[in-house]
Amino acid sequence: MDTLIENQRVAVPKKLEKMFGHLDYKNPPELCPVRDVMSVASDQWSILILLWLGYYPVLRFNKLKKYVYGISNKVLSQRLKVLEADGYVSRKVYAEVPIRVEYGLTDFGKSYVKRLLDLTEWMQQNSPKVLANREKYGLI
Amino acid sequence: MDTLIENQRVAVPKKLEKMFGHLDYKNPPELCPVRDVMSVASDQWSILILLWLGYYPVLRFNKLKKYVYGISNKVLSQRLKVLEADGYVSRKVYAEVPIRVEYGLTDFGKSYVKRLLDLTEWMQQNSPKVLANREKYGLI
DNA sequence: CCGCATCCTCTCGGATACTG
DNA sequence: CAGTATCCGAGAGGATGCGG
């Protein structure tokens, strides 16, 4: 592009170059797999679900609902279905009475949760700073 | 808790223990700083904005709008305001005519984008797998 | 050029009740 | 117990036009 040269690039170019092949604004978003995958994997509720499933190897529907505080039946089952379809979550049904369904992470899901934990760990460590920033910003 | 012992914990306990102090379902979500910070920092549009600002050290409003393909005026300025308030983004106004406004990352923002890149890099590498999973799931 | 104000649409998500 | 079905309200977000 003509204007791309206007600005200098930051110093971590390798990663970025690779990333922005996909995020290039000339590619319509519906063709960008990263945005596609992201829309599922970085959804607020999905993150919480995945984290809890990372914590407990196996959780049943209502247990999960209790842990993912505030989530509704509808959203929980929606998210679980999508997360299963995308390969993060496994679902095992036991034909007992009453029925028992156990959710867990696939190996793929575990590998994602590992990354996710790095991010949320950062958030946890830095949340005081963010809240302080927000405070300060409000006062100016 | 009584029921916490029912399931075994996964093998990465250190990180998780720390995390789940905050994600404990006994803490209402509005008191959980991680969920709070996350709601801004892992928003779909915010991620794209931050990534582009990580790519170019400085971007003006309309340039940014072009790169973050599909975003509207309203959402872009909303997100920028919040991201600025939370300390990720810097905003510099030049009193020229016509006015010029330059957006960039703060050091804090850069440290977050670094983590973010790990995640999106994972997504980029694994998006084929996700799409394949999704495909397969649909066919069953 | 930046970005707010307005309007209007439309999807997401909450609550509840019900079934295999 | 594990969800689905239905209804409904809130609010996110798109489009546009204007003002600083």
Side-chain angles (χ1 to χ4, degrees):
Chain A
M1 270 300 290
D2 43 352
T3 53
L4 291 197
I5 313 157
E6 283 185 20
N7 303 298
Q8 290 181 19
R9 291 174 183 185
V10 284
V12 236
K14 274 282 170 48
K15 278 186 186 176
L16 288 163
E17 289 287 358
K18 280 207 293 182
M19 276 299 314
F20 285 97
H22 284 285
L23 289 176
D24 192 307
Y25 72 93
K26 285 166 288 182
N27 292 347
E30 61 271 23
L31 294 181
C32 174
V34 177
R35 279 171 83 152
D36 188 356
V37 171
M38 189 161 63
S39 72
V40 173
S42 82
D43 165 79
Q44 296 292 306
W45 290 121
S46 299
I47 290 178
L48 292 174
I49 292 170
L50 291 172
L51 288 176
W52 279 107
L53 289 176
Y55 196 53
Y56 296 108
V58 146
L59 279 173
R60 301 173 63 174
F61 190 87
N62 284 309
K63 211 53 144 330
L64 195 48
K65 188 184 170 189
K66 251 171 55 181
Y67 290 145
V68 184
Y69 191 89
I71 199 169
S72 67
N73 274 4
K74 186 180 177 180
V75 173
L76 179 53
S77 70
Q78 274 179 353
R79 293 296 190 280
L80 282 172
K81 215 175 291 180
V82 177
L83 288 172
E84 190 194 354
D86 279 13
Y88 300 104
V89 164
S90 69
R91 181 178 186 272
K92 199 165 186 179
V93 183
Y94 297 85
E96 309 172 350
V97 181
I99 197 173
R100 179 165 56 119
V101 181
E102 291 185 344
Y103 291 95
L105 292 179
T106 62
D107 287 344
F108 186 63
K110 281 177 196 162
S111 84
Y112 176 60
V113 169
K114 207 176 295 175
R115 305 300 183 111
L116 209 48
L117 277 169
D118 291 338
L119 204 74
T120 48
E121 194 183 29
W122 184 94
M123 289 181 188
Q124 185 198 358
Q125 285 164 1
N126 289 281
S127 57
K129 205 174 293 184
V130 171
L131 299 180
N133 287 335
R134 210 180 282 179
E135 193 85 17
K136 204 193 309 172
Y137 187 85
L139 294 182
I140 292 174
Chain B
M1 268 301 285
D2 44 351
T3 54
L4 290 196
I5 313 157
E6 283 186 20
N7 302 298
Q8 290 180 17
R9 292 176 183 182
V10 284
V12 235
K14 275 281 171 50
K15 278 186 185 176
L16 288 164
E17 288 289 355
K18 280 207 294 180
M19 276 300 312
F20 284 97
H22 284 285
L23 290 176
D24 193 306
Y25 73 93
K26 286 166 289 182
N27 291 347
E30 61 272 21
L31 295 181
C32 175
V34 177
R35 278 171 85 153
D36 187 357
V37 171
M38 189 161 63
S39 72
V40 172
S42 82
D43 165 81
Q44 295 292 306
W45 289 122
S46 299
I47 290 178
L48 292 174
I49 292 170
L50 291 172
L51 288 176
W52 279 108
L53 288 177
Y55 195 54
Y56 297 107
V58 146
L59 279 173
R60 302 173 63 173
F61 190 87
N62 284 309
K63 208 55 141 333
L64 194 48
K65 187 184 170 188
K66 251 171 56 181
Y67 290 145
V68 184
Y69 191 89
I71 199 170
S72 67
N73 274 5
K74 186 181 179 180
V75 174
L76 180 53
S77 68
Q78 273 179 352
R79 294 296 189 281
L80 282 171
K81 212 175 292 178
V82 177
L83 288 172
E84 191 195 353
D86 280 13
Y88 302 103
V89 164
S90 68
R91 182 177 185 272
K92 199 164 186 180
V93 183
Y94 297 87
E96 309 172 349
V97 182
I99 197 174
R100 178 164 57 117
V101 181
E102 291 185 345
Y103 291 96
L105 292 179
T106 61
D107 287 343
F108 185 63
K110 281 176 196 162
S111 85
Y112 177 61
V113 168
K114 208 177 293 173
R115 304 300 183 111
L116 209 48
L117 277 168
D118 291 338
L119 203 75
T120 48
E121 194 184 28
W122 184 93
M123 289 181 188
Q124 185 199 358
Q125 285 165 1
N126 290 281
S127 56
K129 205 174 294 185
V130 171
L131 299 180
N133 287 336
R134 209 179 284 178
E135 194 85 16
K136 205 193 308 172
Y137 187 85
L139 293 182
I140 293 173

